[in-house]
Amino acid sequence: MVLCIRGAFRPCGLCCLCRKRLKEIPSSSSNVSTGLTWGLDCDLSRTSELLSGMGVSVLKKDKLDGENTLQDALGSSSCSHKRRKVKEKDFVIVRRPRLLRDSGASWDTLPDELLLAIFAYLPLSDLIRASVVCKRWHRLSFDESLWQTLDLAGKILLPGVVGQLLPAGVTVFRCPRSSISSPLFKTSKPLKLQCMDLSNCTMSVASLQSILSLCEKLQNLSLEGLVLSDDIIKSIAQNPSLVRLNLSGCSGFAVEPLKLMLSSCSVLDELNLSWCNFTDAHVKAAVNHVTSKVTQLNLSGYRQNLQMQDVQTLVERCPLLVHLDLSDSVMLNRECFQYFRKLSCLQHLCLSRCYQIFSADLVIAAIYPDPFRKDVNPKEMINTKKKVVRGTGLSKWEAEEPFL
């Protein structure tokens, strides 16, 4: 835009008054500057009034030197294709916020509940990998809702793995036939375990003790084939809600801790103490201190340590027995059936490899309520035996021929 002598802005050309004044100015370069300045000074007052009415402020004279003059306009009209050079000004680089993709969602915007629902479908190995992505994912990966059940059967667990996973809220822990190194718990807070299976694991007594010492809510426990200690048996006694206990094939504990455990676990329903390294004192302690609420009991494998008197005590103490296994008790004979008949709820009796009990004794016990009555004819017993064998079997009694 060019300011002409009349005080109006013209896009590029000159008005008639400007062209008339230019004709009066000599061609000398010095005169051009003088004439132009004179013309502008003459009409400055009228121009200022006109611009004020238009709402435009007039530049002072000292600022005119830095602006485009009429001479510059003439030069620009002759070479309109040339570009002016503009000074580079200082600038600041500002990073624009990252725009979301077309999907309109990202992992950071998903709520915790939705991420937990996604993590619930991940296998254990992938869930562990996800826990190292960021702090938020680490917190969500160890949420209690994802660690209700933990199955590590047949695994080799490095030191510290069990100590990190069990405090995450695990309630069911299955780890049979695994190799467990030191748990290395970082907290002494009690665990929430309710069911634990460590059958036939390879682990030290100290490692097993460090786990059981933090358990107070166990309901199902299996330690089959492990070497225990008195402290471990005392730790088991700290779980009064224990319902099922399997110590088959265990060893390494004394009689007194066994009495304490059986007395403390008063709601036991299933108990397996078969083939433990028991002495005669252990067997008597088990028979005399087992809870009367037990319905399934396994005391097999005690050969000469289980006597007829022990069977009598057991039957009188546990009248609710449904399943009873006394296999490999060579001291038992057919007289024990007079005690078994007192168990009105008994459905399964196992007397395998009890060499003093023959199949005929089982048949007689199944047919006659009291086979030791004096008025029972032995010949009648034999005939009854043949009829039963040819017929429906041995009723609810399980029989095996003794090994010779």
Side-chain angles (χ1 to χ4, degrees):
M1 302 290 291
V2 180
L3 180 64
C4 68
I5 296 175
R6 286 184 176 182
F9 288 94
R10 298 287 181 176
C12 57
L14 300 176
C15 64
C16 58
L17 181 60
C18 292
R19 288 195 293 270
K20 182 178 179 181
R21 290 294 181 94
L22 288 176
K23 291 179 181 180
E24 297 176 358
I25 297 174
S27 59
S28 174
S29 61
S30 61
N31 293 332
V32 171
S33 176
T34 304
L36 181 60
T37 305
W38 174 83
L40 291 175
D41 291 338
C42 292
D43 297 335
L44 183 59
S45 60
R46 188 172 62 180
T47 304
S48 177
E49 294 177 359
L50 180 61
L51 292 179
S52 299
M54 298 172 59
V56 181
S57 60
V58 181
L59 294 175
K60 295 181 180 180
K61 185 176 181 180
D62 55 350
K63 295 184 179 180
L64 289 175
D65 297 337
E67 301 293 334
N68 291 333
T69 61
L70 185 59
Q71 187 176 2
D72 296 333
L74 293 174
S76 63
S77 62
S78 61
C79 51
S80 59
H81 298 289
K82 294 184 179 180
R83 295 183 178 180
R84 290 190 317 166
K85 293 184 179 180
V86 181
K87 266 189 176 182
E88 294 183 0
K89 297 181 179 181
D90 297 336
F91 61 91
V92 179
I93 298 177
V94 179
R95 178 176 294 178
R96 297 196 304 178
R98 182 180 298 176
L99 299 178
L100 298 178
R101 296 184 177 179
D102 297 336
S103 61
S106 67
W107 288 104
D108 295 336
T109 60
L110 295 179
D112 291 351
E113 293 79 9
L114 186 55
L115 282 176
L116 287 175
I118 296 174
F119 288 173
Y121 289 95
L122 296 179
L124 178 61
S125 57
D126 293 340
L127 187 60
I128 295 298
R129 293 189 183 97
S131 66
V132 299
V133 172
C134 60
K135 291 183 178 180
R136 184 192 179 203
W137 283 29
H138 182 273
R139 174 177 57 84
L140 294 177
S141 297
F142 287 96
D143 188 83
E144 292 185 1
S145 61
L146 301 176
W147 296 92
Q148 295 295 319
T149 302
L150 180 59
D151 191 345
L152 298 175
K155 305 294 183 180
I156 299 178
L157 304 180
L158 299 178
V161 173
V162 175
Q164 183 179 2
L165 297 181
L166 292 186
V170 178
T171 58
V172 179
F173 181 42
R174 293 190 67 258
C175 197
R177 304 177 305 280
S178 298
S179 177
I180 303 177
S181 300
S182 179
L184 299 177
F185 287 101
K186 297 181 180 179
T187 177
S188 58
K189 186 178 179 180
L191 302 177
K192 297 183 179 181
L193 282 173
Q194 297 181 5
C195 303
M196 183 166 61
D197 184 4
L198 300 178
S199 302
N200 300 305
C201 281
T202 302
M203 61 188 308
S204 63
V205 176
S207 298
L208 180 58
Q209 168 60 17
S210 63
I211 297 176
L212 288 174
S213 62
L214 300 178
C215 297
E216 298 178 355
K217 300 180 180 180
L218 285 174
Q219 298 179 4
N220 301 326
L221 178 62
S222 178
L223 303 176
E224 182 177 348
L226 300 184
V227 178
L228 310 181
S229 65
D230 293 346
D231 292 335
I232 291 177
I233 298 298
K234 293 178 182 178
S235 298
I236 298 175
Q238 297 177 359
N239 298 268
S241 58
L242 198 61
V243 177
R244 298 176 181 85
L245 178 60
N246 181 12
L247 298 181
S248 176
C250 294
S251 60
F253 52 94
V255 176
E256 293 303 323
L258 178 62
K259 293 180 180 179
L260 175 63
M261 181 191 71
L262 294 177
S263 301
S264 301
C265 302
S266 58
V267 295
L268 273 175
D269 182 69
E270 299 179 14
L271 178 61
N272 189 346
L273 295 176
S274 62
W275 295 98
C276 295
N277 190 16
F278 278 4
T279 61
D280 181 66
H282 284 86
V283 174
K284 293 187 180 301
V287 169
N288 287 278
H289 291 84
V290 64
T291 176
S292 59
K293 297 180 181 180
V294 66
T295 60
Q296 300 186 32
L297 179 61
N298 191 338
L299 289 176
S300 61
Y302 293 116
R303 300 188 179 278
Q304 299 180 358
N305 291 327
L306 185 64
Q307 305 291 331
M308 290 292 299
Q309 183 62 37
D310 299 328
V311 175
Q312 181 180 0
T313 303
L314 180 64
V315 169
E316 294 175 355
R317 185 173 179 83
C318 306
L320 302 178
L321 282 172
V322 177
H323 179 108
L324 180 60
D325 190 347
L326 300 178
S327 301
D328 297 281
S329 299
V330 296
M331 301 303 296
L332 301 184
N333 53 42
R334 67 174 186 171
E335 295 181 2
C336 64
F337 289 105
Q338 61 181 325
Y339 307 121
F340 295 149
R341 287 190 177 278
K342 298 179 181 180
L343 300 175
S344 58
C345 300
L346 189 64
Q347 296 180 6
H348 186 275
L349 176 64
C350 187
L351 297 173
S352 301
R353 293 174 296 280
C354 294
Y355 299 134
Q356 297 188 41
I357 299 177
F358 300 92
S359 58
D361 299 328
L362 295 175
V363 172
I364 295 173
I367 299 301
Y368 293 94
D370 188 1
F372 301 100
R373 290 183 307 169
K374 295 182 179 179
D375 58 345
V376 175
N377 189 353
K379 292 183 179 181
E380 183 180 355
M381 290 183 182
I382 295 175
N383 294 332
T384 305
K385 170 190 172 183
K386 293 180 180 179
K387 293 179 181 179
V388 172
V389 172
R390 293 172 185 171
T392 59
L394 300 179
S395 183
K396 63 182 179 180
W397 305 97
E398 176 181 327
E400 290 187 8
E401 289 289 345
F403 294 103
L404 302 178

